[in-house]
Amino acid sequence: MPARTMAPRSCASAQRGETAPEIAPVAALLTRRTFLGASACAVATLLTGCGSSEAGVQARQIAEVPCPYNWDNLIWDGGRPVYYENDQICSRWGVDVSEHQHTVDWEAVAGAGAQFAFVRIGNRGATEGKLDVDEFFLANAIGAQAAGIPVSAYFFSQSLDEAEAREEAAFAIEQLREAEHEGVTFHMVAYDHEPVEIEGARANDLPPDQFAANARAFCEHIQKAGFSPMIYGNQQDLMRLSVEERATYPLWLAEYGIDDPTVTFNFAIWQYTNKGTVPGIDTDADLNIWLETP
C-alpha cells in the first residue's frame, strides 16, 4: 500500500535521540466509538442549517477535527515509534500483510511484539475489475488470532462508483463471515482505494466526490453488517474525503520517510513504512503505530 507525495508539516516536530522503554500493551485499541466522541461536536455543527450556501462551505472548513497529537511525545525506540501522554504509552505497534508476504509465522510476529495486525481480505482487479480473495486471507486471520494478536482487515478497492463499492463490501463480508466461523474476531475493516501503476488501470482518475462517495458506500455497508469501518490512504487520498467523512470514520494514514506525520486532521493509525523487517515475515513488511489519547 504505497504512500506518495507529502505536504508541509503541521504538528510539532518530535525530539529524537531519546530511549523509550519496552512497548507495553495499552488498555484498549482505539475504537470507532472513542473516535466519534472526539468528532461529535464538529459533525453536529456540519449538519445544522448549512445547506449548500457559501456559509455552509465555510462551516465545513472551520469544523475540521485537527490533529490531536503532540509529536514531541513521539519517541523512536529501535526503529519503531512509541507515543506517550503524561508518561503513559498511548500507542500500539502492528503490521499489515497480504499474499505478497506469502506464509507468515504469526507466533514469531507476536514474539517480536506486534500488538495488532491487518490482513488483506481481497481486491478488485485494477484493469478488468474482477473480485478476488487474497490467497492468504483466511490463514493470516486464523494465524494472527491464534497467536494472540488482535486482528483487523482491509479490502483493496478499485471501485468506479458506489454500486461497485457496495459490491466490494458485500464480497468482503462473505470472507469475514467465513473467518468468523473459524473463530476470528475482527476489530476494524478498512477501505483502501489508491492509484496503481498499471497500464489501463480503471480507477486511477476518480474525481474527489466519486472517491468519497465510494468510500462512504463501502463503509456504510460494512457497518450495517456489524463491523467497524475505517478508511486507509495517504494525505492526498484522505483529503479527497469531505470533512464529515474524515470526522465520521477512523482514518489510517500512510506516510513514509518522515519522523512524524504532517497532516493537519485527526487520524487513528500511521503506517510509517512499507520496508519494515519483522521476524516471521520473510519479505518487506508494512509497519504501523495505532495512536491513542487519554
Side-chain angles (χ1 to χ4, degrees):
M1 296 190 292
R4 295 173 291 282
T5 307
M6 295 181 293
R9 189 171 305 273
S10 60
C11 297
S13 299
Q15 297 175 347
R16 307 298 164 210
E18 301 179 53
T19 302
E22 183 179 353
I23 299 176
V26 184
L29 289 170
L30 174 67
T31 64
R32 186 168 185 273
R33 180 182 299 273
T34 58
F35 186 93
L36 289 177
S39 308
C41 291
V43 176
T45 300
L46 293 168
L47 300 179
T48 53
C50 294
S52 59
S53 66
E54 182 178 352
V57 173
Q58 291 174 349
R60 286 194 295 273
Q61 293 171 344
I62 292 169
E64 179 71 88
V65 179
C67 170
Y69 310 110
N70 177 1
W71 299 124
D72 287 339
N73 297 333
L74 184 73
I75 308 301
W76 287 80
D77 179 27
R80 297 177 185 172
V82 185
Y83 187 76
Y84 289 82
E85 286 282 355
N86 300 320
D87 297 324
Q88 298 293 317
I89 294 177
C90 291
S91 64
R92 289 176 179 248
W93 174 80
V95 302
D96 64 271
V97 300
S98 71
E99 61 191 30
H100 300 297
Q101 276 68 51
H102 311 297
T103 300
V104 175
D105 181 345
W106 285 105
E107 291 294 338
V109 175
Q115 295 166 298
F116 66 90
F118 277 78
V119 300
R120 190 176 76 161
I121 301 165
N123 68 288
R124 184 185 289 277
T127 56
E128 300 299 323
K130 181 177 179 291
L131 296 176
D132 285 310
V133 180
D134 188 287
E135 179 182 356
F136 287 86
F137 165 65
L138 199 57
N140 281 332
I142 294 172
Q145 175 102 7
I149 302 173
V151 185
S152 293
Y154 74 95
F155 186 86
F156 187 89
S157 170
Q158 289 289 283
S159 59
L160 294 176
D161 53 32
E162 296 98 315
E164 286 195 347
R166 285 188 288 269
E167 181 186 31
E168 291 171 350
F171 181 81
I173 290 164
E174 290 180 16
Q175 317 316 316
L176 294 167
R177 296 297 188 213
E178 182 177 353
E180 285 184 325
H181 185 70
E182 298 294 330
V184 181
T185 298
F186 293 96
H187 293 264
M188 306 294 290
V189 178
Y191 176 78
D192 172 13
H193 192 304
E194 54 190 287
V196 295
E197 296 181 0
I198 297 176
E199 184 177 354
R202 68 202 301 269
N204 275 2
D205 299 314
L206 288 186
D209 287 352
Q210 189 63 63
F211 176 91
N214 293 2
R216 183 172 60 252
F218 181 94
C219 289
E220 288 175 349
H221 205 70
I222 287 291
Q223 188 173 6
K224 286 178 182 177
F227 299 100
S228 296
M230 170 176 272
I231 301 176
Y232 169 93
N234 68 10
Q235 185 166 174
Q236 286 68 38
D237 297 327
L238 299 178
M239 284 298 293
R240 298 168 80 186
L241 302 172
S242 70
V243 168
E244 294 94 329
E245 286 148 352
R246 287 199 295 273
T248 299
Y249 301 110
L251 304 179
W252 179 6
L253 171 70
E255 195 170 20
Y256 309 153
I258 55 173
D259 289 332
D260 46 67
T262 67
V263 301
T264 58
F265 50 79
N266 197 2
F267 62 94
I269 301 176
W270 173 30
Q271 184 186 76
Y272 60 90
T273 184
N274 63 349
K275 300 292 184 182
T277 301
V278 181
I281 300 178
D282 294 334
T283 66
D284 289 340
D286 297 339
L287 304 182
N288 307 267
I289 177 174
W290 200 322
L291 295 151
E292 297 177 303
T293 54

